[in-house]
Amino acid sequence: ETLGKVPFEPAQSLYEAIQSYIILWQTMCLEQAPNPFAFSVGNADRIFEPYRGELSREEASELFKHFLVFYNVGDRSWAISQNVLISGRDIAGNDLTSTMSYAILDAYYDMNLPQPILSVKLHKNTPEKLYEEMGRFFFSPGVLTPSLFNDDALFEVLKNNGVDEADIPDYSVAGCQEPLIMGKDNGNTTNSWFNLPKILELTLTGGKSTITGEEIGTFVEYPDTKTLLENIREAFYKNAEKFAQEMADAANGASLALSHLRVPFLSAFMGGCESGIDTRHPSKQGTKYNGSGCLIHGLSVIADSFMAIDKLLAERPEDCDKLIEAIKANFVGYEELRDFLKSAPKFGNGIESVDNEAAEIADKISDIVRNLKNYL
């Protein structure tokens, strides 16, 4: 009976709204199969609160459990990269927590499903009641805990990166933490991967993979290993810039290939009704916002490695050549050297030198990636 009405006609109750949303979302996913762009459920409490009517928190929670069940059908979850967000603030700083926010919390607590991810937007005016309600998640063993997002900080970040102020309260989240603007953002958030430890490995071995022995790219040569290690940061960042551009070229090539599979249904909900342009169009921007991103791996590995190299240079410079040999052998036969290197300071233990190193790496790599351009 409900499907005979929605989504063709507007929903008038929470039951109809949830049913309508599920059908539209499923169709968007099917149209993109097998390689969908990330888009997010978004602020589900703001979407569904207007339809709650006279329903109590308990009744709304029971309906939302069906919403969550839909995302977990069969032997896999439909909800990979999906985030259900609640609460948050508007531009003026007013809190937007509603009865539906608490109903969704109840549904998640009872169901305890790992997907879609539950995320809560916090800010300086978040009500104490919401913190108290979240306590049961954080202090109950075996219960999935929500991700937390700082609206006060994110509003500034998004504003400084070209998002119109009116759109900022509607930011949603794809995957773990990638911000999107609901219905206006072609968020190609995981367009590629950037492997920092592999770049460091190739820097130390002169461009040869220790896994395959293959030579990958051309690297700056130093007169001896000690000189290389003394300049390891400079050499690493130069190579990171080189590989970042290659990564961008590959990612853009993948996006251009994917653009041959047009998505008119999704596009209609992403600004296509206004622009007349497909979301995936390779040379015309069909959505208000368009960005490509990459997953950057190995921050702590690089920070710890720099610290280990510094320790080697300071205490055992005569073993510089042995370090490269040990790396190529995966430290088999060099266990004593490995133990020595592992004794260097490690990121995440409140040690200022290595924590500062990690912060510098994050800043420099972010700048390198930020300066790259996607296919538009």
Side-chain angles (χ1 to χ4, degrees):
E1 182 180 343
T2 303
L3 289 175
K5 178 183 178 183
V6 297
F8 185 75
E9 296 178 17
Q12 293 177 302
S13 67
L14 183 58
Y15 183 95
E16 291 177 352
I18 288 176
Q19 185 75 287
S20 183
Y21 191 103
I22 284 172
I23 295 299
L24 296 173
W25 189 90
Q26 182 184 38
T27 307
M28 290 180 193
C29 286
L30 288 171
E31 182 186 47
Q32 295 191 83
N35 188 16
F37 275 84
F39 51 83
S40 177
V41 172
N43 261 94
D45 53 353
R46 298 180 205 172
I47 294 169
F48 293 122
E49 175 64 19
Y51 299 95
R52 187 175 57 83
E54 300 299 319
L55 292 180
S56 67
R57 168 176 170 175
E58 290 74 20
E59 290 168 325
S61 176
E62 289 301 315
L63 280 177
F64 198 78
K65 288 179 185 178
H66 290 278
F67 182 92
L68 293 178
V69 167
F70 166 79
Y71 282 90
N72 293 272
V73 178
D75 61 357
R76 62 166 293 180
S77 170
W78 281 67
I80 299 302
S81 89
Q82 288 299 311
N83 251 275
V84 172
L85 293 113
I86 64 168
S87 192
R89 50 163 280 196
D90 63 15
I91 287 295
N94 299 308
D95 181 64
L96 299 176
T97 308
S98 65
T99 299
M100 198 69 211
S101 307
Y102 295 111
I104 291 172
L105 275 181
D106 292 342
Y108 264 98
Y109 187 78
D110 289 346
M111 300 294 284
N112 200 29
L113 296 169
Q115 295 282 349
I117 301 164
L118 171 63
S119 296
V120 182
K121 294 180 175 181
L122 304 175
H123 58 103
K124 65 181 181 181
N125 293 322
T126 295
E128 186 175 347
K129 176 179 172 61
L130 184 60
Y131 286 111
E132 292 173 350
E133 295 272 355
M134 285 194 294
R136 56 187 160 155
F137 289 86
F138 291 114
F139 300 109
S140 297
V143 173
L144 181 78
T145 56
S147 301
L148 305 177
F149 291 87
N150 183 341
D151 269 10
D152 294 329
L154 262 173
F155 275 38
E156 289 300 313
V157 170
L158 295 172
K159 183 178 180 180
N160 293 335
N161 283 277
V163 177
D164 288 346
E165 192 171 63
D167 294 333
I168 292 176
D170 283 332
Y171 84 82
S172 55
V173 177
C176 304
Q177 73 285 319
E178 302 94 318
L180 306 167
I181 305 303
M182 283 177 58
K184 299 180 180 180
D185 200 335
N186 180 3
N188 200 350
T189 56
T190 53
N191 201 188
S192 56
W193 284 259
F194 201 33
N195 187 338
L196 300 182
K198 190 66 179 181
I199 295 172
L200 179 60
E201 173 198 309
L202 295 171
T203 301
L204 291 168
T205 62
K208 286 190 176 180
S209 170
T210 58
I211 297 173
T212 66
E214 180 185 356
E215 189 165 313
I216 306 174
T218 305
F219 286 75
V220 178
E221 293 188 7
Y222 289 86
D224 51 61
T225 303
K226 184 171 180 290
T227 305
L228 167 62
L229 296 181
E230 289 170 342
N231 294 278
I232 191 62
R233 290 165 177 81
E234 178 187 18
F236 169 77
Y237 289 121
K238 280 183 179 178
N239 291 329
E241 287 184 6
K242 172 179 175 290
F243 277 108
Q245 186 58 62
E246 291 190 16
M247 173 194 69
D249 293 343
N252 288 335
S255 295
L256 292 171
L258 196 60
S259 71
H260 292 285
L261 299 174
R262 301 298 167 88
V263 283
F265 187 80
L266 173 65
S267 298
F269 290 90
M270 300 292 283
C273 287
E274 292 77 28
S275 69
I277 301 171
D278 192 272
T279 294
R280 290 179 171 176
H281 200 290
S283 58
K284 298 177 182 178
Q285 188 159 323
T287 56
K288 185 173 182 179
Y289 305 105
N290 178 291
S292 300
C294 62
L295 297 175
I296 305 175
H297 298 283
L299 172 64
S300 61
V301 174
I302 302 302
D304 292 349
S305 296
F306 284 171
M307 290 294 106
I309 289 171
D310 289 348
K311 182 179 176 68
L312 185 73
L313 287 168
E315 300 178 23
R316 292 170 53 170
E318 68 278 5
D319 285 336
C320 286
D321 287 332
K322 190 185 290 187
L323 172 65
I324 307 300
E325 296 169 6
I327 290 171
K328 290 179 178 178
N330 198 24
F331 288 94
V332 174
Y334 298 89
E335 287 77 12
E336 184 277 331
L337 176 59
R338 185 176 190 175
D339 290 341
F340 170 79
L341 294 168
K342 288 177 70 174
S343 70
K346 297 289 186 294
F347 172 69
N349 294 294
I351 303 169
E352 189 174 8
S353 59
V354 65
D355 288 356
N356 289 342
E357 185 78 58
E360 183 176 350
I361 294 165
D363 284 342
K364 288 187 175 180
I365 296 298
S366 295
D367 287 342
I368 289 171
V369 173
R370 184 184 299 273
N371 287 324
L372 300 169
K373 300 299 180 184
N374 75 0
Y375 53 97
L376 287 180

